[in-house]
Amino acid sequence: MRRVGAALLASIFCSLPVHAQLVDANLDWKEVEAPPPPALRKDGLVPINMGSSVLRWGVDPASITIASDRVVRYVVVAQGQDGAVNALYEGLRCGTGEVKVYARNSGDQWVTATGSDWKPLDVGNAATRHSLVIARNGVCIGGGTNRSPVEIARDLGRGVDSKFRPEYR
């Protein structure tokens, strides 16, 4: 009877959605103040494969940082066929599967994002789709942060979607 009960409990816990495991276990977590965005670079970006997007996406490898709060901050650039450039200075929390925009750049000036909160990475949300691809392809490993900015840039360059596969809404 104990074996049946243990098997039943195991099957219940194993069938829970993966995103339920992305709750931050550190209840005392506090975000450190994000440094200002770095100068916008349009060259030397690590390409991000966004599938059928008409924009060319890339991450500035020199902008990637991992802070003491385990937030990975980076600049992502989207370039249109007409040469228009938009960029975001973002942060990713791998442990919770969330993204936050700190600043936007359309032209050559950063504008602080006001009222920006942590948002869940969601494959169905066009506003966070690029962030999900970045998380899956280099920033996150499982529910944790990749080891270093150098390894993040290297893994992003490989474009491998194999290390980070949580189920998002």
Side-chain angles (χ1 to χ4, degrees), residues 63-127:
S63 72
I64 301 170
T65 62
I66 303 173
S68 61
D69 57 6
R70 304 304 296 160
V71 173
V72 178
R73 293 179 179 87
Y74 56 89
V75 171
V76 60
V77 178
Q79 296 177 330
Q81 294 174 342
D82 62 355
V85 173
N86 289 298
L88 298 168
Y89 178 46
E90 296 184 328
L92 275 170
R93 290 185 66 200
C94 296
T96 59
E98 295 175 301
V99 64
K100 183 177 186 177
V101 175
Y102 296 102
R104 292 176 170 77
N105 187 315
S106 55
D108 285 325
Q109 184 175 351
W110 286 107
V111 177
T112 302
T114 56
S116 182
D117 294 322
W118 290 101
K119 296 186 180 358
L121 293 172
D122 184 348
V123 75
N125 182 349

Side-chain angles (χ1 to χ4, degrees), residues 9-164:
L9 280 175
S11 69
I12 290 171
F13 286 115
C14 291
S15 67
L16 291 176
V18 175
H19 70 272
Q21 298 170 5
L22 293 175
V23 175
D24 193 359
N26 184 359
L27 299 176
D28 296 330
W29 180 83
K30 298 250 187 291
E31 182 178 8
V32 300
E33 186 174 340
L40 180 61
R41 290 181 353 136
K42 300 172 194 169
D43 296 320
L45 303 177
V46 177
I48 303 301
N49 183 355
M50 292 299 297
S52 62
S53 175
V54 296
L55 301 173
R56 286 189 336 255
W57 292 83
V59 171
D60 176 3
S63 72
I64 301 170
T65 62
I66 303 173
S68 61
D69 57 6
R70 304 304 296 160
V71 173
V72 178
R73 293 179 179 87
Y74 56 89
V75 171
V76 60
V77 178
Q79 296 177 330
Q81 294 174 342
D82 62 355
V85 173
N86 289 298
L88 298 168
Y89 178 46
E90 296 184 328
L92 275 170
R93 290 185 66 200
C94 296
T96 59
E98 295 175 301
V99 64
K100 183 177 186 177
V101 175
Y102 296 102
R104 292 176 170 77
N105 187 315
S106 55
D108 285 325
Q109 184 175 351
W110 286 107
V111 177
T112 302
T114 56
S116 182
D117 294 322
W118 290 101
K119 296 186 180 358
L121 293 172
D122 184 348
V123 75
N125 182 349
T128 63
R129 193 170 299 132
H130 69 276
S131 306
L132 179 59
V133 170
I134 292 167
R136 285 179 170 171
N137 289 327
V139 170
C140 304
I141 298 175
T145 305
N146 203 337
R147 295 180 198 159
S148 71
V150 170
E151 290 190 36
I152 290 171
R154 182 199 65 214
D155 290 349
L156 283 172
R158 290 180 180 161
V160 179
D161 183 4
S162 62
K163 295 181 180 178
F164 186 78

